[in-house]
Amino acid sequence: MELIKVDVVICGGGPCGLMLANELGRRGVSVLLADEKESTAFNPQANATQARTMEHFRRLGFVDEIRSQGLPADFPTDIAYFTRYAEHELARFRLPSAQQAKQKARELKGSWSAAELPHRVSQKYVEAVLRRKAEQLPGVTVRYGHRVSDFEEHAEGVRTTVESREGGAPFVVESRYLVGADGPRSFVRGKLGYRYTGETGVTRDFMGGRMFAVYLRCPDFYTRVPHAPAWMNVTFNRDRRAFMAAVDGKGEFAFHTQLRAHEKEESITDEDARDLFRAAVGLDLEVEVLSKGSWTAGHSLVAEHFQRGRVFLGGDAVHLFTPAGGLGYNTAVEDAVNLGWKLAAVLQGRAAPALLDTYELERRPLAVRNTGYARGFADSLGLITPADEIEEDSARGEAARAEAGKHFDHHGRLEFNIPGVTFGGRYDGSPAIVSDGTQPPADSANVYTPTACPGGRPPHAWLDDGASIFDRFGFDWTLLVLGPTTPETSAFSTAMSRSKVDLRVVRIEDPEILALYEAPLVLIRPDQIVAWRGHSDAYADDIVNQLLGHSKGDVAVPFNAAA
Ligand SMILES: Cc1cc2nc3c(=O)[nH]c(=O)nc-3n(C[C@H](O)[C@H](O)[C@H](O)COP(=O)(O)OP(=O)(O)OC[C@H]3O[C@@H](n4cnc5c(N)ncnc54)[C@H](O)[C@@H]3O)c2cc1C
């Protein structure tokens, strides 16, 4: 049997696995990624890349390439609600095109002060970019058409058995760690014996039950439907409800509708699928079915554990969402961001293995939080039922549509204006954070209050030269030195270099940025999370030791500690 040796094996090349390959490869970690599919996703899958995910793509240097994918640059990314797509428009939440988003990000303040705004793009395009970027990294081997069929952990590492779809002898990969990013039916999670916990089988009028997905082409939609184009199109009628994302802005759509209790997906033919779509539009249109399939809405599930020994789990393998709010893929990407730098630091001897225990400690509560938010959005969308007269051409019908419009006007903002969800995720209480004793603002889906309270995303600001403050951060660790005074920082540099950690010291005099961060010294982790802030480097050794897992998580540094 062929034997290959790498640092990390990644099982699964969806967004989580591909992002992890990029995080590790960029840090010089050798990786073998195996995915049983022929290539990256053919179906559109997820449709929304949240702003925080875009900031991570910016950190990795390919955000503009991602933003150029999918819809044309001037295509509006509105969310619009209709009785049927060609009939009454009920409500519309207007959002900028990709082109406008770049400009708008420079103007927005408060909750939306960000280096990047969200990008409405199908996952299939994102995966293709992530794959290309991973394959360009020395040390990263990407093998689609390869299934992980077994693994065995031992004291020094993990032996993983991989089989090619084309047949031939299986081969064994010897690695220090294995990561299961292998989706909802995760083989790796199954073998570890971890179950999902939480809520499943929730039924709703919409987004709770069996859903039928049709990836289709219908260019006539844009000439025959008498409404302005939108990225997300939702129907609301008594017959059958649906949502549909524009995929390329030219005629490809990801159409999803809810099946009735007695309907069996296996018996739905291409012609039936075309009819489901035509009924949602309310017009007889030419339709090409590119693919079809079914899935279940109504999950809010999180696995019992995200790690055992040298085996880690991330993405849908450990959390399953009802896809309202567009959080599943984004949470999967952030798992990879969190795990990537920690694995690299431990593999390269810069941090103690204890650092790896913080992965589950930090990410599991986030998964519980995010699945909970998604469940709330699904309730708001799916528990409301259309009035009998919603499509009626009468005063009663008009009143019902106005009432529905009011609901969706509010709902659109609730589900799609979510800076609090995307920027407000926090790792309070983790040993990889040194608290300063202050309390963060309350968690809220639709409002984000920028704060440098350790444990969360650093507040964003544009600098005088037009750069984002995040662009100044190092790829590894950053020490911000803010304001007109220049406190001593050498103890941090010494402590970090003792552990061979690359620390970039960034001085910014602007008093407004000092006011935003509320302390002159701020330590930022490689995943752009505030690790600590304070007024002097007096406790640098203790702080660094804790953050790198060398000591237990109990350093107490008073916020105003002076040297
Ligand atoms: C209709 C719908 C709409 C959605 N919309 C959104 C949205 O707008 N925003 C959002 O954030 N999320 C959305 N999601 C969720 C999103 O698609 C998933 O959360 C995301 O794909 C998870 O990524 P992943 O990498 O964890 O897993 P996956 O994408 O499932 O990738 C897992 C990979 O592992 C491979 N694999 C499995 N077993 C093995 C094995 N034994 N060996 C090798 N390879 C294996 C599979 O082939 C697969 O490629 C949506 C989901 C649905 C169904």
Side-chain angles (χ1 to χ4, degrees), residues 189 192 194-195 302-308 313 317-318 360 364:
R189 188 192 68 244
L192 293 181
Y194 295 149
R195 289 165 308 171
V302 178
E304 295 166 299
H305 291 291
F306 286 26
Q307 177 202 359
R308 192 173 74 202
L313 297 162
V318 276
E360 174 177 318
R364 193 173 185 282

Side-chain angles (χ1 to χ4, degrees), residues 31 67 70 150 156 204 210 214 216 228 295 302 370 372 396 401 427 429 434 452 480 503 505 520 559:
V31 170
R67 205 176 279 284
D150 202 6
E156 303 298 315
R204 300 182 182 94
R210 288 305 283 164
V214 191
L216 59 88
W295 55 280
V302 178
N370 290 0
R396 265 168 28 107
R401 289 190 288 278
Y427 302 142
V434 175
L480 291 177
L503 177 72
V505 178
F559 184 34

Side-chain angles (χ1 to χ4, degrees), residues 11-17 34-37 45-48 123 127 144 146-149 181-184 187 243 256 295 314-317 323 325-332:
C11 173
C16 183
D35 191 299
E36 64 187 356
K37 292 202 315 280
Q45 299 203 203
N47 300 291
Q123 182 178 325
E127 285 191 11
Y144 281 87
H146 285 77
R147 188 171 73 91
V148 169
S149 56
D182 48 349
F187 164 73
F243 75 90
H256 300 267
W295 55 280
D316 275 15
L327 302 179
Y329 131 71
N330 290 279
T331 307

Side-chain angles (χ1 to χ4, degrees), residues 8 22 66 101 131 259 409 553:
V8 179
N22 276 285
I66 297 277
R131 175 182 181 174
L259 295 178
D409 213 30

